[in-house]
Amino acid sequence: MIEEIHIRDLGIITDARLPLEPGLSVLTGETGAGKTMVVTALGMLLGNRSDATSVRNGAKNALAEAVIRLPKNHAALDLAHNAGGTVEDIDSESSELLLARTVNASGRSRAHVGGCTAPIGTLADIGRTLVAVHGQSDQLRLKSSSEQRHALDSYAGAPLVQALEEYRGVYERYRAVASALKEMRENARARALEAQTLQGALAEIDAVAPVEGEDEALRVESMKLMNVEALRQASAIASAALSGSEYSSGDESNVLALLDAARTALAAQSSSDEALAALTERVNEVLILATDAASDLASYMASLDSDGPGRLAQVQERRAALKTLTRKYGADIAEVLAWAEESRVRLESLDDNPARLEALENELVQLRKNLGESAQKLMRMRQEAAQKLAHAVSEELTALAMPNASLVVEVSEAEKFSAHGKDSVSFMLAPHKTAVPRPLGKGASGGELSRVMLALEVVLAEVDPVPTFIFDEVDSGVGGKAAIEIGRRLAMLAKHVQVLVVTHLPQVAAFADQHILVLKNDDASLSKVQVLSEEERVVELARMLSGHDQSEAAQEHARELLAAGRQV
């Protein structure tokens, strides 16, 4: 829901903040006070086209901001995150999002989502998930066939949603099989050539039979074999230093002999002093380590003796074979093996044997039959839901001073299957009993369209709501009992969503949970906005009823309206 709207230098409003609450909020004021600017500000925040003429005279730019509170799983928050915006967590269940739009005197505008600059289109995408605006100059929320279908499906409920999921499973498989069959029939020669190429490549890889990581292991071994003489010489020198050489006379010193002598000398006196005993133990540990190192060096030298030119030749030949594969099929052996695995799968799909072709053809026939049955089931469910929806909306229209009008929801068979079925959905309005139904938005006045949308939203609110609805003079052209019914239905809608209504009718305003008044200053050049208290509401309703806000009779009538409004 929208928690606050901030407007600055827009139309005749210099600076105004509208704190909004859940439920029904009404916006009233004398003609020309600037009520429309509130709707204009919201339109700016929804990505509508900017208009330089809306900037207040003498101001550099106009600003519209909104603070919006949403549940954490709301789609608008994901869109804000994707745009780089920051979302503030309020508690474990809800978050707060800030939207802003500025328009300068030259007509250029900027949008901000969560404190970050964003394209105007992003505001529009977010706005579609947040607010539905219904006014005499606004486009309908349910303006396209796809949106009408979505609304009808939501109204039909879980059984239709489940049937649609089952249909889509069959539809996707049908498309996959049809595509595979088409490729087999139309590209047989190209497929045969591709299969031949893959077979040759896989045969080449299989002949080498590479093992993942083998190329790196062979590189290390090759480096060792190419430097075997230097390695042998270094290890021989180290071995002689540690344990002596087999060619020595026996008088040369070596590490093991010196350490053994040191240990023997210390051990003879270690019983006389604990410190010396500890040092003796440490020298003995060093002797053990040195003995192990000498033994390992001897083993290493033996392995060098077994590595010769023959092994080097084998390694280099193997590396050359692997290099040939990596030049053709991947950066390393791991990529070569992955490519081979993918190619084997692809090769199987290129198999054009008659048995596989016949199997696909038979499957496609069965899938088409199943698809037709699923599509017919969907269409029947939609037609049943369409009758119920049309009846419910038509009843609402009767209460909204359109007793002879009716909504017609037509579900007709389409030419082709789609992801939604094989039908088309169209919402149409018959203004009177003998009229030919026409698509929404054609053949009806702005006031009639506003009431049609109100009736639709009241019926759909429980199954397909957006967080906030805004109605701009939805009560145009009605009064008396019809106006009371409009107010009652707006209050009913407000039980499920937040509703903001711009109205001139006291019968509608009396049903509000919150009453906001737009006032002109004495010089009529600037406007201000204020939330009315209970007594202030009585005065404003009296003004709307009679034009005299201090009339006792009008105020008494206003109190009666307020009392009736609380009974909803």
Side-chain angles (χ1 to χ4, degrees):
M1 57 164 276
I2 300 174
E3 292 188 320
E4 183 180 80
I5 301 171
H6 178 208
I7 304 170
R8 189 188 69 215
D9 293 331
L10 185 65
I12 61 174
I13 298 178
T14 52
D15 199 308
R17 292 184 182 272
L18 280 73
L20 297 180
E21 297 177 356
L24 175 61
S25 298
V26 296
L27 198 68
T28 65
E30 294 183 358
T31 301
K35 300 185 299 298
T36 303
M37 288 298 101
V38 177
V39 179
T40 300
L42 286 165
M44 289 170 57
L45 292 170
L46 299 177
N48 290 354
R49 197 173 203 176
S50 60
D51 187 357
T53 60
S54 62
V55 180
R56 187 175 62 83
N57 288 334
K60 293 182 178 180
N61 54 53
L63 168 71
E65 289 181 319
V67 179
I68 302 168
R69 183 169 181 157
L70 295 166
K72 286 185 176 293
N73 60 350
H74 198 276
L77 300 181
D78 292 334
L79 292 170
H81 282 303
N82 293 338
T86 301
V87 176
E88 183 177 345
D89 291 335
I90 299 174
D91 51 41
S92 60
E93 297 182 352
S94 57
S95 299
E96 194 172 80
L97 175 64
L98 177 65
L99 301 180
R101 177 92 176 271
T102 58
V103 180
N104 62 29
S106 65
R108 295 186 62 184
S109 70
R110 288 187 177 182
H112 292 81
V113 175
C116 180
T117 303
I120 304 299
T122 300
L123 269 188
D125 292 339
I126 292 175
R128 277 190 287 270
T129 70
L130 296 177
V131 180
V133 179
H134 300 304
Q136 297 193 28
S137 60
D138 295 299
Q139 294 191 4
L140 303 176
R141 178 167 79 105
L142 304 176
K143 60 186 177 182
S144 70
S145 178
S146 62
E147 290 171 326
Q148 291 172 4
R149 183 193 302 109
H150 173 74
L152 179 61
D153 289 356
S154 298
Y155 182 76
L160 190 141
V161 172
Q162 182 178 353
L164 182 57
E165 289 180 356
E166 294 172 358
Y167 167 86
R168 283 176 175 165
V170 179
Y171 177 73
E172 292 302 325
R173 179 58 187 166
Y174 175 81
R175 291 186 63 193
V177 173
S179 177
L181 199 57
K182 180 180 179 181
E183 187 180 6
M184 287 182 67
R185 289 170 174 168
E186 296 182 356
N187 304 313
R189 187 170 182 177
R191 288 165 60 84
L193 181 60
E194 183 183 356
Q196 184 178 3
T197 302
L198 289 177
Q199 286 171 346
L202 291 172
E204 182 181 9
I205 294 173
D206 291 342
V208 176
V211 177
E212 187 171 353
E214 182 184 7
D215 45 352
E216 178 61 20
L218 289 173
R219 185 192 67 78
V220 173
E221 186 178 1
S222 175
M223 183 69 69
K224 174 183 174 182
L225 290 172
M226 291 172 65
N227 294 279
V228 68
E229 289 304 323
L231 295 173
R232 185 180 289 113
Q233 183 178 3
S235 57
I237 293 172
S239 180
L242 283 172
S243 59
S245 171
E246 59 180 324
Y247 303 108
S248 64
S249 61
D251 297 330
E252 295 90 346
S253 299
N254 59 72
V255 171
L256 293 181
L258 292 172
L259 285 172
D260 185 58
R263 182 190 62 176
T264 302
L266 293 172
Q269 301 300 324
S270 61
S271 60
S272 302
D273 185 9
E274 291 183 359
L276 187 62
L279 289 171
T280 303
E281 186 63 30
R282 290 171 62 188
V283 170
N284 187 58
E285 291 174 358
V286 173
L287 176 59
I288 293 171
L289 292 173
T291 302
D292 289 343
S295 177
D296 291 344
L297 269 173
S299 298
Y300 178 74
M301 291 174 65
S303 71
L304 291 177
D305 290 337
S306 64
D307 295 335
R311 177 56 186 166
L312 179 60
Q314 292 176 359
V315 169
Q316 290 176 337
E317 183 179 354
R318 181 66 178 172
R319 291 187 71 198
L322 296 177
K323 187 68 175 176
T324 300
L325 297 183
T326 55
R327 279 200 304 267
K328 294 181 179 180
Y329 310 115
D332 53 30
I333 294 302
E335 288 191 14
V336 171
L337 293 171
W339 183 88
E341 186 64 27
E342 294 173 2
S343 297
R344 292 185 207 282
V345 175
R346 174 60 177 166
L347 187 59
E348 289 181 5
S349 70
L350 294 173
D351 181 13
D352 287 344
N353 65 72
R356 183 170 182 270
L357 184 63
E358 183 180 0
L360 286 176
E361 289 175 341
N362 292 337
E363 184 181 5
L364 190 66
V365 170
Q366 185 60 46
L367 284 170
R368 186 174 183 85
K369 179 182 177 183
N370 295 344
L371 195 63
E373 292 174 352
S374 295
Q376 285 296 318
K377 179 182 177 181
L378 271 179
M379 187 165 68
R380 287 194 299 270
M381 295 178 74
R382 285 189 175 124
Q383 287 171 341
E384 291 176 6
Q387 291 180 357
K388 294 178 182 177
L389 177 62
H391 179 71
V393 172
S394 297
E395 284 190 342
E396 289 293 327
L397 290 176
T398 299
L400 293 172
M402 297 177 67
N404 298 316
S406 61
L407 180 74
V408 177
V409 182
E410 184 179 86
V411 181
S412 56
E413 187 171 0
E415 294 183 1
K416 297 180 180 180
F417 292 103
S418 72
H420 308 286
K422 197 185 178 203
D423 54 46
S424 60
V425 177
S426 178
F427 286 13
M428 297 182 290
L429 176 67
H432 51 83
K433 293 181 179 180
T434 60
V436 177
R438 300 189 66 186
L440 291 183
K442 297 181 180 179
S445 67
E448 287 175 329
L449 281 177
S450 294
R451 278 175 276 169
V452 171
M453 292 312 302
L454 173 57
L456 273 167
E457 300 297 6
V458 168
V459 174
L460 294 173
E462 294 187 30
V463 295
D464 186 34
V466 293
T468 301
F469 287 85
I470 297 168
F471 292 92
D472 185 9
E473 298 189 9
V474 67
D475 47 24
S476 175
V478 299
K481 184 177 179 181
I484 292 175
E485 287 303 318
I486 289 177
R488 192 185 310 278
R489 271 144 183 82
L490 286 168
M492 289 169 56
L493 179 61
K495 292 182 183 296
H496 306 285
V497 294
Q498 183 184 43
V499 180
L500 177 62
V501 180
V502 178
T503 183
H504 289 286
L505 293 182
Q507 295 94 330
V508 172
F511 285 89
D513 300 300
Q514 181 186 40
H515 193 143
I516 301 168
L517 176 64
V518 181
L519 284 169
K520 276 186 179 180
N521 286 353
D522 293 337
D523 60 3
S525 61
L526 301 175
S527 291
K528 63 180 180 178
V529 179
Q530 70 180 76
V531 178
L532 300 183
S533 65
E534 190 70 12
E535 282 305 312
E536 289 171 335
R537 288 187 70 183
V538 171
V539 174
E540 172 61 8
L541 289 178
R543 181 198 66 79
M544 297 172 72
L545 283 164
S546 66
H548 301 286
D549 54 12
Q550 299 304 317
S551 165
E552 292 185 8
Q555 289 190 8
E556 185 60 31
H557 189 186
R559 290 188 179 91
E560 291 178 3
L561 286 176
L562 287 171
R566 293 192 190 96
Q567 296 176 5
V568 176

